[in-house]
Amino acid sequence: MDQHDRLVQQVRARIADASRVCSERITKEDGREAILLCFVRAWYACPMTDAQPPEDRLDDALQRRVLDRMGLTTPPPRSLGGLFALYRAWCAHVPFDNIQKVIALRTSRPGPLPGIDAEDFLTRWLDEGTGGTCWTSSNALYVLARTLGFDARRIAASMRDTGILTHASTVVHVGPDRWLLDSAMLTDVPLPLGQEVFVHEDPVYAAEVEPADDGHVVWWDCPPNPEYLPCRLQAGPVDHRFYREAYEASRARGPFNQRLYIRRNFPREMRLIVGNTRYSQTADGLDVQHLTEDGLVRALVEEMGVSPGVVEAWSRAGGLSASFEAPEGPPPPAPSRPRPSRR
C-alpha cells in the first residue's frame, strides 16, 4: 500500500468514526447547522489512524492455534452472534494477570515490557498459560477481532473515573451498534454502548453502562471492592503506539507492579486471586480463601493454568513473596457516586 492509499484509508476511517459519534449526539430537532457543527467537533475528537496496519493482523497459523485453544472449531461469523461467541471464549480461556509484567520488572529484563505485541502475547498464552494487564490483553483481543474481520477499535479509558487514562479496552461496531469487549472486566458478554442505561443483571459477571457527555461510563463488579468500579470510556480510537507508550509508562507506577493479580472466568464462576487471597464468585455468593505459599502456587498451576516453569520464574523473581506483602501506596479512591441502578 503506497502513501496515497494509506492516507485515503485513514481519512475514510476518520469520517466513519466522526459520523458514528455525531449520530449518537444529534436529535430529530437539530437543524442543518447544528448537525454540521456536531460533525466538525466529532472530526477533531477522532484521531487519524490506519485502517489496519500490518501489526493489527495475526498470521493464519497463529489464528488457528488461538481459536483451537479457545474451543472455536471454525472462525466465528462476523455477526453479533459471532462476536458474543468470540468474547465468551476469550473470557473463559485467557486470564487477566500481571505475572509476566512482574517477572520483567523484578528481573530488569531488557527491552519493552512483554506482551504488548499481539503475537508475543498470544504465543505466551498458548505456551505458558499467562495473559497480561489491560494494555497488552486489550491489544491482543483487538488484533484477534480485526483478524477475524470485525470492525474493532482500540480505546483508552479512565479506571475509577479519575480523569487520567489508565485503562485500555476494545469497541466493536456491528451494524449501527457499538459493543464493548473488555479484557479486564471479563463480563462474559459484550456490553452495548447505546443511548440508554444498560444493566447486565448477572450474579457472576454483573455490569452497568450509562451514556455520558463524552462517551460512556461502565460500572463493573470487581471483588474485593465493596462497590462497583466506574470506568469512563474517553479516548478512541487510539493506535498501537499509544498502548505501547502507556504500558511502558506503567513501569514507574501502577496497580499491577507488586502483588499477584489474576482473574479468569469458569462456567458460571469468576475466579480471582489478589495477593494471597482467592475469590470465587458464583450465583451463590462470594467465597474467600487465604492461601499459603504452596496453596498459591498450586492454584496458579492447577486452577488458572499457568505453566509450572513460569510460576517458578515468577517465584524466583520475588513475585511469590511480594504477594504476601501489604499493598504499596495509599488505597485507591472510593466511587464518588452510586452506580445507575442504585440512584
Side-chain angles (χ1 to χ4, degrees):
M1 181 185 296
D2 61 25
Q3 185 175 0
H4 175 268
D5 291 340
R6 186 176 296 278
L7 179 61
V8 169
Q9 286 199 357
Q10 288 176 329
V11 171
R12 286 176 175 171
R14 190 172 183 181
I15 289 173
D17 290 328
S19 298
R20 291 188 183 99
V21 172
C22 189
S23 67
E24 294 176 355
R25 296 179 179 177
I26 61 176
T27 65
K28 294 181 179 180
E29 289 73 28
D30 287 329
R32 182 177 179 179
E33 292 184 358
I35 294 174
L36 179 60
L37 180 60
C38 177
F39 180 82
V40 170
R41 288 174 174 169
W43 167 269
Y44 284 105
C46 295
M48 187 84 83
T49 58
D50 284 342
Q52 189 165 5
E55 67 268 18
D56 287 359
R57 181 175 179 83
L58 304 175
D59 64 50
D60 291 343
L62 182 55
Q63 175 191 315
R64 286 194 295 270
R65 288 185 66 199
V66 168
L67 294 182
D68 183 66
R69 180 67 63 85
M70 289 183 174
L72 299 173
T73 55
T74 59
R78 293 189 297 271
S79 63
L80 188 57
L83 186 67
F84 271 61
L86 172 63
Y87 183 59
R88 180 164 284 147
W90 178 281
C91 293
H93 293 88
V94 184
F96 178 89
D97 70 76
N98 65 344
I99 293 174
Q100 296 284 1
K101 184 181 184 184
V102 167
I103 294 173
L105 290 176
R106 288 183 166 267
T107 58
S108 300
R109 183 186 296 172
L113 289 171
I116 194 57
D117 293 323
E119 180 179 353
D120 178 40
F121 177 98
L122 291 168
T123 301
R124 289 176 186 273
W125 168 63
L126 289 165
D127 296 342
E128 301 174 342
T130 54
T133 56
C134 66
W135 301 109
T136 58
S137 59
S138 180
N139 180 69
L141 178 54
Y142 157 83
V143 172
L144 177 60
R146 294 283 289 188
T147 301
L148 294 171
F150 289 100
D151 183 8
R153 296 286 189 272
R154 297 183 185 94
I155 66 165
S158 176
M159 187 60 72
R160 296 183 181 271
D161 200 8
T162 64
I164 303 173
L165 296 178
T166 55
H167 185 64
S169 195
T170 302
V171 170
V172 176
H173 299 261
V174 179
D177 301 320
R178 296 190 302 154
W179 299 83
L180 183 74
L181 282 65
D182 196 280
S183 60
M185 301 179 193
L186 300 179
T187 54
D188 192 53
V189 296
L191 301 178
L193 302 177
Q195 300 183 46
E196 304 292 335
V197 170
F198 172 78
V199 178
H200 182 44
E201 295 181 340
D202 189 305
V204 182
Y205 318 110
E208 302 182 13
V209 184
E210 63 174 328
D213 291 339
D214 55 352
H216 292 80
V217 177
V218 179
W219 297 78
W220 62 297
D221 188 13
C222 179
N225 297 280
E227 303 293 339
Y228 286 23
L229 296 185
C231 181
R232 185 174 295 268
L233 313 181
Q234 291 184 314
V238 296
D239 57 15
H240 182 260
R241 179 179 178 181
F242 184 99
Y243 272 27
R244 184 177 64 248
E245 292 178 350
Y247 189 40
E248 286 298 317
S250 73
R251 287 177 180 268
R253 182 178 181 182
F256 304 115
N257 292 357
Q258 180 201 7
R259 305 198 308 159
L260 173 67
Y261 188 103
I262 184 167
R263 175 175 175 139
R264 181 179 162 188
N265 288 1
F266 293 82
R268 302 308 305 158
E269 178 190 8
M270 185 284 299
R271 206 170 293 174
L272 166 70
I273 304 175
V274 181
N276 68 315
T277 306
R278 178 188 181 276
Y279 301 89
S280 170
Q281 182 156 283
T282 66
D284 295 327
L286 184 66
D287 179 71
V288 181
Q289 298 179 11
H290 299 290
L291 303 176
T292 63
E293 287 193 357
D294 288 343
L296 181 53
V297 168
R298 284 197 304 273
L300 285 175
V301 175
E302 298 173 7
E303 295 185 31
M304 296 298 190
V306 182
S307 74
V310 169
V311 174
E312 174 63 24
W314 169 78
S315 179
R316 287 199 311 268
L320 179 59
S321 59
S323 297
F324 288 80
E325 298 172 355
E328 295 177 348
S336 60
R337 62 195 187 282
R339 62 185 187 268
S341 63
R342 293 287 181 88
R343 296 175 195 165

